[in-house]
Amino acid sequence: MKKDESFFEMVYEVVKLIPPGRVTSYGAIAKYLGAKGSARMVGWAMNASHVMDHVPAHRVVNRNGMLTGKAHFSPPERMQSLLEAEGILVENDQIIHFQQHLWDPEKELAL
DNA sequence: TTCCTGACGCTTG
DNA sequence: CCAAGCGCCAGGA
Protein backbone atom coordinates (compact mmCIF):
# COMPACT_ATOMS: atom_id res chain seq x y z
CA MET A 1 0.00 0.00 0.00
CA LYS A 2 1.12 3.54 -0.49
CA LYS A 3 2.12 5.07 2.78
CA ASP A 4 3.51 8.23 1.30
CA GLU A 5 -0.02 9.56 1.29
CA SER A 6 -1.48 11.16 4.34
CA PHE A 7 -3.48 9.03 6.73
CA PHE A 8 -6.80 10.29 5.40
CA GLU A 9 -5.83 9.51 1.81
CA MET A 10 -5.28 5.89 2.76
CA VAL A 11 -8.66 5.92 4.43
CA TYR A 12 -10.23 7.18 1.20
CA GLU A 13 -8.83 4.28 -0.78
CA VAL A 14 -10.23 1.75 1.64
CA VAL A 15 -13.64 3.45 1.73
CA LYS A 16 -13.73 3.61 -2.05
CA LEU A 17 -13.11 -0.14 -2.12
CA ILE A 18 -16.28 -0.74 -0.13
CA PRO A 19 -18.68 -2.51 -2.53
CA PRO A 20 -22.28 -1.25 -2.86
CA GLY A 21 -24.66 -2.65 -0.31
CA ARG A 22 -21.85 -3.05 2.19
CA VAL A 23 -20.75 -0.97 5.15
CA THR A 24 -17.77 -0.86 7.47
CA SER A 25 -16.81 0.66 10.80
CA TYR A 26 -14.25 3.32 11.64
CA GLY A 27 -12.47 0.91 13.92
CA ALA A 28 -12.21 -1.74 11.19
CA ILE A 29 -10.59 0.72 8.80
CA ALA A 30 -8.34 2.10 11.52
CA LYS A 31 -7.24 -1.38 12.44
CA TYR A 32 -6.64 -2.24 8.80
CA LEU A 33 -4.44 0.83 8.44
CA GLY A 34 -2.56 -0.12 11.56
CA ALA A 35 -4.03 2.62 13.74
CA LYS A 36 -6.37 0.21 15.50
CA GLY A 37 -6.75 2.45 18.55
CA SER A 38 -7.34 5.58 16.50
CA ALA A 39 -10.79 5.11 15.04
CA ARG A 40 -11.28 8.85 15.52
CA MET A 41 -8.69 9.51 12.84
CA VAL A 42 -10.85 7.65 10.35
CA GLY A 43 -13.90 9.69 11.18
CA TRP A 44 -11.84 12.82 11.05
CA ALA A 45 -10.58 11.79 7.62
CA MET A 46 -14.15 11.28 6.47
CA ASN A 47 -14.96 14.81 7.51
CA ALA A 48 -12.41 16.04 5.00
CA SER A 49 -13.49 13.45 2.42
CA HIS A 50 -16.49 15.46 1.28
CA VAL A 51 -14.10 18.27 0.49
CA MET A 52 -11.22 16.28 -0.97
CA ASP A 53 -12.85 13.57 -3.07
CA HIS A 54 -16.12 11.76 -3.62
CA VAL A 55 -15.88 9.12 -0.95
CA PRO A 56 -18.88 6.94 0.00
CA ALA A 57 -18.68 8.06 3.60
CA HIS A 58 -22.28 6.95 4.06
CA ARG A 59 -20.96 3.38 4.02
CA VAL A 60 -18.82 4.08 7.05
CA VAL A 61 -20.43 3.98 10.47
CA ASN A 62 -19.30 3.42 14.02
CA ARG A 63 -18.85 -0.03 15.55
CA ASN A 64 -22.55 -0.09 16.60
CA GLY A 65 -23.67 0.44 13.01
CA MET A 66 -25.06 3.80 14.05
CA LEU A 67 -25.04 6.70 11.59
CA THR A 68 -23.13 8.97 13.91
CA GLY A 69 -21.74 10.99 11.02
CA LYS A 70 -25.09 11.64 9.36
CA ALA A 71 -25.09 15.13 10.83
CA HIS A 72 -22.14 15.97 8.59
CA PHE A 73 -24.04 15.25 5.40
CA SER A 74 -26.12 17.73 3.47
CA PRO A 75 -28.76 17.13 4.38
CA PRO A 76 -28.20 14.56 7.16
CA GLU A 77 -31.03 12.40 5.81
CA ARG A 78 -28.90 11.94 2.72
CA MET A 79 -26.78 9.30 4.47
CA GLN A 80 -29.72 7.07 5.31
CA SER A 81 -31.22 7.53 1.85
CA LEU A 82 -28.02 6.40 0.17
CA LEU A 83 -27.78 3.35 2.42
CA GLU A 84 -31.40 2.37 1.82
CA ALA A 85 -30.84 2.87 -1.91
CA GLU A 86 -28.21 0.13 -1.68
CA GLY A 87 -30.55 -2.24 0.09
CA ILE A 88 -29.38 -1.44 3.60
CA LEU A 89 -32.24 -0.93 6.04
CA VAL A 90 -31.75 1.90 8.50
CA GLU A 91 -33.94 2.71 11.47
CA ASN A 92 -33.43 5.20 14.25
CA ASP A 93 -30.07 6.17 12.68
CA GLN A 94 -28.97 2.58 13.08
CA ILE A 95 -28.27 -0.01 10.39
CA ILE A 96 -30.43 -3.12 10.55
CA HIS A 97 -28.46 -6.36 10.29
CA PHE A 98 -25.28 -4.33 10.50
CA GLN A 99 -23.10 -7.42 10.90
CA GLN A 100 -24.77 -8.86 7.81
CA HIS A 101 -23.75 -5.87 5.69
CA LEU A 102 -20.45 -5.41 7.45
CA TRP A 103 -17.47 -5.30 5.13
CA ASP A 104 -14.24 -5.81 7.00
CA PRO A 105 -11.17 -4.72 4.95
CA GLU A 106 -8.93 -7.07 6.90
CA LYS A 107 -11.22 -9.94 6.02
CA GLU A 108 -12.32 -8.99 2.51
CA LEU A 109 -9.00 -7.61 1.33
CA ALA A 110 -7.29 -10.33 3.39
CA LEU A 111 -3.99 -8.56 3.18
C1' DT B 1 5.83 25.36 18.89
C1' DT B 2 1.81 24.53 22.02
C1' DC B 3 -3.11 23.83 22.94
C1' DC B 4 -7.66 22.25 21.42
C1' DT B 5 -10.74 19.61 18.89
C1' DG B 6 -12.69 15.45 16.66
C1' DA B 7 -18.08 11.39 11.90
C1' DC B 8 -14.67 6.35 17.85
C1' DG B 9 -13.68 2.52 20.98
C1' DC B 10 -12.80 0.26 25.26
C1' DT B 11 -12.67 0.09 30.40
C1' DT B 12 -14.41 1.34 34.72
C1' DG B 13 -17.96 3.17 38.14
C1' DC C 1 -27.54 -2.54 32.39
C1' DC C 2 -26.58 2.57 31.71
C1' DA C 3 -23.45 6.53 31.99
C1' DA C 4 -19.01 8.76 32.09
C1' DG C 5 -13.97 9.09 31.32
C1' DC C 6 -9.59 8.18 29.18
C1' DG C 7 -6.75 7.02 25.14
C1' DC C 8 -5.58 7.18 20.21
C1' DC C 9 -3.21 10.40 16.06
C1' DA C 10 -3.31 14.20 13.05
C1' DG C 11 -4.55 18.90 11.56
C1' DG C 12 -5.77 23.79 12.44
C1' DA C 13 -5.37 28.21 15.08
Side-chain angles (χ1 to χ4, degrees), chain A residues 9 11 14 17-18 30 40-41 43 48 53 58 68 79 88 99:
Chain A
E9 290 189 52
V11 174
V14 177
L17 289 173
I18 302 175
R40 320 180 66 167
M41 301 290 77
D53 286 310
H58 61 277
T68 51
M79 188 173 187
I88 299 174
Q99 282 292 329

Side-chain angles (χ1 to χ4, degrees), chain A residues 18-40:
Chain A
I18 302 175
R22 298 285 190 209
V23 291
T24 190
S25 62
Y26 302 100
I29 297 174
K31 184 179 180 184
Y32 174 72
L33 294 176
K36 46 184 179 174
S38 306
R40 320 180 66 167

Side-chain angles (χ1 to χ4, degrees), chain A residues 20-21 58 78-90:
Chain A
H58 61 277
R78 175 98 185 189
M79 188 173 187
Q80 182 173 329
S81 298
L82 290 168
L83 289 171
E84 292 184 321
E86 295 183 357
I88 299 174
L89 298 178
V90 179

Side-chain angles (χ1 to χ4, degrees), chain A residues 83-97:
Chain A
L83 289 171
E84 292 184 321
E86 295 183 357
I88 299 174
L89 298 178
V90 179
E91 185 168 297
N92 194 21
D93 297 337
Q94 188 176 298
I95 297 176
I96 307 301
H97 305 308

